[in-house]
Amino acid sequence: MATARGRAAAAGGRAGGGGGRAGTMSSLPEPPASRAPSRSPVRSPALSPAYGPSRCGAERRRNASDAGADLDAVQDTQLRSADLNHVIKLLEESNSKDLEKEQLKILKKVVRRFENGLPLKDIAQIIEILNLCAEKLNEQEAFTEPLCELIKLCGLPFQKKKLSDEVSYSMAVSKSIAQLGYLMRVPSSQVRIQICKCIVSFYNMEVPRKLLSGYQPTSANYKIQMAELGGLAETLVLSLALVENQLTEKLWVLKALQHLSSSGVNCKLMMKAQAASRLCLYLNGVDPSGQLVFRSSEILWNLLENTSKEEVVNQLSSLECVHALKEVFVDLLMHGYRHYDRQLRNDLLVIATLLAENPAAPMIESGFTKLLIVLATFTEVKIPNPLVKGLKLTYSYEDFELKKLLFNVIGVLSKDPCAVQLLRENDVMPALLYYVKPNQKPGFHDWSAAQYEELQLHAIAILASVAPLLVDKYLSCQANTLLLVFLEWCVGQDPFFGQGNSFHGTGGRGNKLAQMRYSLRVLRAVVSLYDDAVNLNLCDQGAISQLLDILKYAANKSKEKEDAILLEIEADILFLLSALCENDLHRKELFSYEGVDILIPFIQMDPKKLYSGLGHNRLLFSALDCLWSCVIGCYIAEDYFLEKQGIFLLLDLLALKQKNLCNIILGILVEFCDNPKTASHISSWRGEKDQTAANLLIQLWRQEELDLGVKRDQYGRIVDMKRPIASSFQKQQEVIPIPANCPSFAIMEISENIRAKLYSLLCKLGFENLPGLSAKDFVTLAIIRRYIDFKVGEVWSELCAELKEEFRPVASDEEALKVISEVSEDTGRMVAALQTEVLESQHHQEIQEEEKTYTKIQAIHKQRKMVNKSWENFLTRTSNYEALKKAKRLQENAIEASRSKSKTQNGAVHSTDIKGLGTTIGSGRLVTVESTPSQLIGGPLAVTDLAHRKPSVCEGALKKIKRVKTLDSVKTASVPVE
């Protein structure tokens, strides 16, 4: 929008330079009293009136003779003593010829006195003088020139003595500048034009060559700020009614308003005076120069930019304004031949587009809507239409912009139900489908390759908005066939390099992704209608197989470089497959093997990508939706998904515990459990830290109840026996009697959280023999198992409350309701008792395990003591010969005691002694060799030639044997003895 407007401004400059409208405006007659050079507007300097330079009185005095200069100096000295109050008093006196001459004379003195600028302290008196002159002008035309000269002084920079003067005199100055607007009531063309010139000079302030002694000029924006404070813009808009039939004066007022509208404050003031509607009505006024249309449109643009767009559009939404806008647009369209004319035409079309967005605007009633639709389609459908007879668009840049704007209007009109019939009657569908074909060569149809691609993408984008409204036309034009052929070209190997220059071409440079993206959007728009005829037409042409091929193509592209465009394409294809395969077994079978293989990588997506901002979140949801619609319900696809360990992938996603994912994943798992093979897959899944599926589901239940504000004690037990599973929101609701066909809070709550899905899934798995559960899990499981009973109790509780709110039940009914309520409470108490029993059993089991642990620790300590005692006895036998003999005797006695008392006949008696044996322990087939601890000899590498040395007693363990207290560091090895 801003671009079109900038072009119009630039066009104005170029038109002025080339003898365009500026040249026409320069021929306007200048009021004879006008001496200040004209000021050009900010937006289009070449379009301002080009008046010839005139010389003011100060310049004439500088060029006068020396004698004349001396005389002027004497008069100036006398003028400095003049009193403005005396001037005011003189002007207030009754008229006579002699008095009129005196008044005119003193006014000339005032003008000469302030020829370099007005001091701030004198402005209020000067404005009072202006008002007095204006009153006299009604009867005495001689005051016209002095009045214009005084107004011209107001265009010079004001003079200040102190820096604080700008603030001190701000109120007086703002009121004085506001009076300039009120002076527009004076019935003099010269005065009105001079006022406008004065206002324009606020925006082109020049420092005077000579300043008053002791004064300095005010800041450059001071007058602009004072004009805003005084409300000058509003007054000037109202003055348009006074100059309605005077073209020259009207153009000057518009020029002043054009400058004033550059400020947001002024635009708001102008809107109070209905500036938008007033200016729009002037668009189709007679003006050979064309300035009227240009300046009015520029002001309208400023109003749109600086104020509420809705407010401006509302003011323009009258039938008169729409008619005026239409007439000017048609005139520029049919007769405009210059570069500037076409740009101004495009700017007006943008304003018309804004009006079309307002349902209250009478665009259809005025015939403007039909005209715009015909203009948008006549070059493609080639059907003669009297509305565009004789019109031929060129291939210039301005006409290219016009074409895009017309496509945009079609998109806007598609949102208006009243315009649908016009879209149907004027061949919009064939015109847009004209672009659904490969761009085979550059410069197609005289548009450049980049321009044609931009129009093509724009048309396909608009088709996505129009196609759902015109399904009958969509099918009759075989749009599905065209789109599938176009998509086949998009994935083909044809050498085509997209320009990617436009908004719609984003991401399509050097490839066909932009074309693929918008074609899929069209299919998504029509398929989402779930119209059987459209979907059947697609599937009969092999759309499912083709979409899977495109999805595979896009997935491979994503592996090379992942961006938002590819992710959007993948998500759209998954949605299309979901919509086509839902509730149709044959289509699901077509999807099954190849589709599941493509789906698995999407479900395996790295969870970190969900926060990338590129669209992975949407892609994952689309994949899950596709899984639900295309796989579930078809045993072939389900079994293949299970074979690919798809249930494990779903549980891995569920373990992330992302609230937005849990609901859909649980729904899929519940549906999958209809397949008898699913339960075993769920039961065998193990997550992080060997977590089981049952434990995960129970954790999700606890988290959901925490989010809902369900009351539980510190152990997770039921607190409220009457409403055990009611959320905090449910408890806050008052009793409201509702019709029987409306769900109550208890029923609505089921669909608003995941507890019902968790209960259903656990019912499928069974509540017995669930692995990996703790006592806390069993406490929660007791609640889950009774979920339906508690939910029924909630419904009965609501029913009882509603009955008691409006009726008093009879005794039998009241008794029945009481019994039902007690049953619900008893269920809660029973579950609470079971939970307590589980906790007590767990506590008892923990105590038993603690005792077992303590017993084991005691046995270990006792064993260690026995080992230490045995070691000490061994050391004693080794170092004390008497102790060794005593141990020997004890050993022999033990052997003797172990022998049988009855002697066998002819039995051999074997001696237990082995002569020459030097060991201090009992002999046997195994000999335990106890080595000296390494810390005693310095480690295994301390002495490397032990095999060649005969260790002495001082190097052995006996030297430090008293330091050894335990057996922990002793290394033992068993060597078989043959």
Side-chain angles (χ1 to χ4, degrees):
M1 186 183 300
T3 305
R5 181 182 175 215
R7 288 193 299 273
R14 289 191 291 271
R21 298 192 178 218
T24 308
M25 189 66 190
S26 62
S27 61
L28 294 175
E30 179 189 7
S34 223
R35 297 183 183 176
S38 64
R39 309 294 182 180
S40 301
V42 176
R43 298 191 177 272
S44 56
L47 292 175
S48 61
Y51 294 99
S54 59
R55 293 159 56 182
C56 63
E59 291 177 41
R60 288 196 296 271
R61 285 196 299 275
R62 281 193 295 271
N63 294 330
S65 62
D66 294 338
D70 294 340
L71 179 60
D72 285 343
V74 174
Q75 290 176 346
D76 287 345
T77 304
Q78 296 173 348
L79 286 172
R80 279 194 289 271
S81 61
D83 186 1
L84 291 178
N85 291 326
H86 172 69
V87 176
I88 294 171
K89 186 176 181 181
L90 181 63
L91 291 173
E92 289 175 345
E93 293 180 3
S94 58
N95 294 332
S96 65
K97 283 193 174 183
D98 295 337
L99 186 60
E100 178 182 340
K101 291 181 181 180
E102 184 66 24
Q103 291 171 341
L104 293 173
K105 182 179 179 182
I106 199 167
L107 286 175
K108 291 180 180 179
K109 292 180 180 179
V110 171
V111 171
R112 285 199 300 272
R113 176 182 176 186
F114 298 111
E115 63 182 354
N116 292 316
L118 297 172
L120 290 176
K121 64 181 182 63
D122 297 331
I123 288 177
Q125 294 171 305
I126 294 295
I127 295 300
E128 190 173 354
I129 293 173
L130 283 174
N131 285 326
L132 292 172
C133 291
E135 292 175 3
K136 292 183 175 293
L137 187 62
N138 294 326
E139 300 175 356
Q140 300 166 282
E141 292 185 3
F143 283 89
T144 300
E145 185 175 353
L147 181 57
C148 291
E149 292 293 334
L150 288 172
I151 293 172
K152 190 187 300 183
L153 294 180
C154 294
L156 298 175
F158 293 152
Q159 308 287 319
K160 61 181 180 181
K161 270 193 173 182
K162 298 181 291 185
L163 292 175
S164 60
D165 282 356
E166 290 188 6
V167 178
S168 302
Y169 292 100
S170 60
M171 291 304 298
V173 173
S174 63
K175 291 179 181 179
S176 300
I177 290 180
Q179 287 296 320
L180 290 176
Y182 295 120
L183 288 176
M184 291 293 292
R185 70 185 186 278
V186 176
S188 169
S189 176
Q190 291 178 247
V191 173
R192 289 171 177 172
I193 292 174
Q194 189 60 55
I195 292 172
C196 294
K197 287 183 177 182
C198 175
I199 294 170
V200 170
S201 69
F202 293 175
Y203 296 85
N204 299 279
M205 196 62 65
E206 297 178 1
V207 179
R209 296 190 181 95
K210 182 179 179 182
L211 297 174
L212 296 175
S213 178
Y215 287 85
Q216 58 182 336
T218 55
S219 57
N221 294 328
Y222 182 67
K223 285 187 178 181
I224 299 174
Q225 295 170 359
M226 294 301 101
E228 293 174 354
L229 187 61
L232 176 62
E234 182 179 3
T235 309
L236 210 58
V237 171
L238 295 174
S239 70
L240 281 170
L242 301 174
V243 297
E244 190 169 351
N245 299 320
Q246 287 80 32
L247 179 60
T248 305
E249 299 169 26
K250 186 192 299 184
L251 291 176
W252 273 108
V253 173
L254 290 175
K255 182 177 180 181
L257 286 173
Q258 184 180 348
H259 283 82
L260 290 171
S261 63
S262 61
S263 159
V265 176
N266 286 334
C267 286
K268 291 177 181 177
L269 292 170
M270 292 165 66
M271 289 301 295
K272 288 182 180 180
Q274 301 294 310
S277 59
R278 290 173 184 267
L279 292 169
C280 190
L281 293 175
Y282 293 147
L283 286 175
N284 59 346
V286 178
D287 176 23
S289 69
Q291 289 288 299
L292 189 61
V293 177
F294 170 74
R295 297 204 184 278
S296 298
S297 63
E298 281 292 297
I299 298 170
L300 286 174
W301 270 113
N302 289 339
L303 294 176
L304 286 167
E305 288 181 353
N306 296 323
T307 61
S308 169
K309 184 180 73 173
E310 290 75 15
E311 186 180 354
V312 176
V313 169
N314 287 336
Q315 287 193 17
L316 295 176
S317 295
S318 66
L319 187 60
E320 295 79 7
C321 290
V322 175
H323 268 300
L325 186 63
K326 176 189 172 185
E327 289 178 8
V328 176
F329 174 76
V330 171
D331 181 64
L332 289 171
L333 179 71
M334 303 301 290
H335 306 110
Y337 59 92
R338 292 173 299 181
H339 182 77
Y340 156 72
D341 293 333
R342 294 184 180 128
Q343 289 189 329
L344 187 55
R345 170 202 65 192
N346 291 349
D347 288 347
L348 293 178
L349 181 54
V350 176
I351 296 176
T353 305
L354 295 176
L355 284 177
E357 292 177 355
N358 183 17
M363 294 286 290
I364 297 176
E365 295 82 348
S366 64
F368 207 174
T369 297
K370 184 175 182 179
L371 172 66
L372 294 176
I373 294 174
V374 171
L375 287 173
T377 59
F378 84 100
T379 56
E380 288 80 14
V381 295
K382 308 296 183 183
I383 298 177
N385 193 304
L387 292 175
V388 290
K389 186 178 181 180
L391 175 64
K392 184 178 180 181
L393 295 181
T394 65
Y395 296 101
S396 64
Y397 180 76
E398 287 72 30
D399 285 348
F400 171 67
E401 289 291 314
L402 174 68
K403 193 68 180 174
K404 291 197 299 179
L405 290 171
L406 289 170
F407 279 163
N408 187 55
V409 170
I410 298 296
V412 171
L413 294 175
S414 66
K415 300 174 184 177
D416 185 2
C418 300
V420 173
Q421 186 60 32
L422 289 174
L423 296 175
R424 179 179 286 106
E425 294 171 354
N426 291 281
D427 300 309
V428 171
M429 184 62 64
L432 295 176
L433 288 173
Y434 173 83
Y435 293 93
V436 184
K437 56 186 177 183
N439 185 6
Q440 297 177 352
K441 58 181 180 179
F444 190 77
H445 265 245
D446 293 336
W447 295 116
S448 68
Q451 286 178 329
Y452 178 78
E453 181 187 11
E454 189 169 350
L455 288 177
Q456 180 187 54
L457 293 174
H458 200 163
I460 299 174
I462 298 303
L463 183 60
S465 301
V466 174
L469 305 173
L470 309 175
V471 177
D472 51 343
K473 285 281 188 180
Y474 178 87
L475 290 174
S476 64
C477 294
Q478 298 182 344
N480 280 335
T481 305
L482 292 173
L483 286 167
L484 291 176
V485 172
F486 190 61
L487 284 171
E488 187 176 353
W489 171 78
C490 289
V491 296
Q493 300 299 323
D494 297 348
F496 171 78
F497 301 98
Q499 303 296 316
N501 295 328
S502 64
F503 167 78
H504 297 98
T506 303
R509 189 170 186 82
N511 54 56
K512 308 170 190 174
L513 291 180
Q515 286 81 357
M516 183 188 298
R517 177 191 186 189
Y518 284 99
S519 300
L520 289 170
R521 282 190 181 183
V522 177
L523 288 176
R524 185 186 68 188
V526 294
V527 168
S528 61
L529 298 174
Y530 292 93
D531 185 280
D532 292 337
V534 174
N535 292 357
L536 180 62
N537 182 266
L538 271 174
C539 293
D540 287 346
Q541 299 183 63
I544 293 177
S545 175
Q546 185 174 346
L547 288 173
L548 287 173
D549 291 339
I550 298 172
L551 183 58
K552 193 182 300 183
Y553 171 84
N556 292 333
K557 284 281 186 181
S558 292
K559 292 176 184 177
E560 301 173 6
K561 183 182 178 182
E562 206 167 42
D563 61 11
I565 305 299
L566 283 170
L567 293 177
E568 181 186 337
I569 289 173
E570 292 169 339
D572 285 345
I573 296 174
L574 290 170
F575 171 80
L576 288 171
L577 291 169
S578 302
L580 292 174
C581 295
E582 189 174 5
N583 302 324
D584 192 294
L585 182 59
H586 174 64
R587 296 174 190 173
K588 291 182 180 182
E589 290 175 352
L590 293 175
F591 175 88
S592 57
Y593 292 105
E594 187 178 3
V596 169
D597 286 334
I598 297 174
L599 268 183
I600 291 294
F602 292 125
I603 301 175
Q604 286 177 320
M605 183 186 300
D606 184 359
K608 295 179 181 177
K609 291 184 178 180
L610 298 176
Y611 307 100
S612 66
L614 292 176
H616 291 90
N617 222 322
R618 180 189 170 204
L619 179 60
L620 179 58
F621 275 106
S622 299
L624 293 173
D625 181 57
C626 185
L627 172 63
W628 200 332
S629 301
C630 301
V631 175
I632 294 176
C634 175
Y635 283 111
I636 297 175
E638 287 181 3
D639 290 345
Y640 191 64
F641 184 76
L642 292 172
E643 182 183 334
K644 289 290 185 178
Q645 298 183 347
I647 293 296
F648 292 168
L649 299 177
L650 291 176
L651 289 170
D652 289 340
L653 277 177
L654 188 63
L656 298 176
K657 298 180 181 178
Q658 292 193 9
K659 200 169 183 65
N660 54 350
L661 286 175
C662 288
N663 199 10
I664 186 171
I665 294 174
L666 288 171
I668 293 172
L669 290 173
V670 170
E671 294 285 345
F672 249 111
C673 282
D674 290 339
N675 189 317
K677 300 177 184 178
T678 304
S680 60
H681 281 256
I682 295 176
S683 299
S684 59
W685 175 81
R686 292 295 180 271
E688 191 176 351
K689 297 181 180 179
D690 208 30
Q691 184 185 30
T692 63
N695 175 259
L696 173 61
L697 296 176
I698 292 172
Q699 284 185 6
L700 290 172
W701 179 283
R702 281 199 292 265
Q703 183 60 45
E704 187 71 11
E705 288 198 332
L706 183 64
D707 295 340
L708 293 173
V710 180
K711 287 187 177 181
R712 297 282 182 261
D713 66 5
Q714 59 179 335
Y715 303 107
R717 292 179 296 188
I718 292 175
V719 175
D720 187 354
M721 302 302 170
K722 293 184 178 180
R723 307 179 71 182
I725 60 172
S727 64
S728 58
F729 177 75
Q730 280 181 266
K731 293 180 179 180
Q732 292 171 3
Q733 302 306 311
E734 298 179 355
V735 178
I736 304 174
I738 55 177
N741 59 345
C742 294
S744 63
F745 287 110
I747 301 300
M748 291 173 59
E749 186 265 349
I750 294 175
S751 62
E752 293 174 352
N753 59 69
I754 62 174
R755 290 191 294 180
K757 291 186 175 68
L758 290 169
Y759 169 76
S760 301
L761 193 53
L762 285 168
C763 283
K764 300 281 187 180
L765 298 176
F767 291 97
E768 303 294 339
N769 302 322
L770 293 174
L773 300 185
S774 63
K776 187 176 181 181
D777 293 336
F778 281 111
V779 169
T780 306
L781 189 63
I783 300 174
I784 301 174
R785 193 167 189 170
R786 291 286 186 170
Y787 174 74
I788 287 295
D789 296 332
F790 292 144
K791 185 56 65 175
V792 170
E794 281 186 4
V795 175
W796 274 111
S797 175
E798 290 180 341
L799 182 60
C800 293
E802 289 183 24
L803 286 174
K804 292 178 180 178
E805 188 74 18
E806 295 188 343
F807 309 101
R808 190 175 70 180
V810 297
S812 57
D813 290 344
E814 190 169 2
E815 182 66 23
L817 292 174
K818 183 178 179 182
V819 170
I820 293 171
S821 300
E822 289 175 354
V823 169
S824 179
E825 290 183 33
D826 290 342
T827 304
R829 292 190 187 95
M830 182 183 68
V831 172
L834 178 61
Q835 291 175 318
T836 303
E837 184 180 346
V838 170
L839 291 172
E840 289 177 352
S841 174
Q842 174 67 15
H843 182 63
H844 180 67
Q845 185 178 353
E846 290 175 353
I847 291 176
Q848 286 183 334
E849 290 178 356
E850 186 178 350
E851 290 176 352
K852 287 181 181 179
T853 304
Y854 284 143
T855 303
K856 187 176 180 180
I857 292 173
Q858 288 174 353
I860 292 173
H861 280 288
K862 185 176 180 180
Q863 183 67 22
R864 286 180 179 177
K865 287 181 181 180
M866 293 175 64
V867 171
N868 290 338
K869 185 67 176 175
S870 174
W871 176 250
E872 289 174 0
N873 291 338
F874 171 74
L875 293 181
T876 303
R877 293 195 305 273
T878 304
S879 59
N880 190 335
Y881 183 69
E882 294 297 328
L884 180 61
K885 291 194 295 181
K886 183 178 178 180
K888 182 65 175 176
R889 287 193 299 272
L890 291 174
Q891 185 183 32
E892 291 173 350
N893 293 337
I895 293 172
E896 189 65 28
S898 66
R899 287 177 176 172
S900 175
K901 301 299 181 183
S902 60
K903 296 186 178 181
T904 58
Q905 296 179 355
N906 301 324
V909 178
H910 299 282
S911 175
T912 58
D913 292 334
I914 302 175
K915 292 182 179 182
L917 187 64
T919 63
T920 57
I921 59 173
S923 59
R925 292 179 63 85
L926 293 176
V927 176
T928 300
V929 179
E930 298 177 351
S931 65
T932 304
S934 60
Q935 59 265 31
L936 299 180
I937 62 174
L941 300 179
V943 180
T944 58
D945 58 346
L946 290 177
H948 305 285
R949 293 177 54 195
K950 184 178 180 181
S952 62
V953 176
C954 65
E955 290 177 319
L958 297 178
K959 182 179 179 181
K960 301 180 180 180
I961 205 66
K962 293 182 181 180
R963 300 180 185 179
V964 180
K965 299 297 183 182
T966 65
L967 194 61
D968 295 341
S969 60
V970 177
K971 298 179 181 178
T972 62
S974 296
V975 181
V977 177
E978 297 297 334

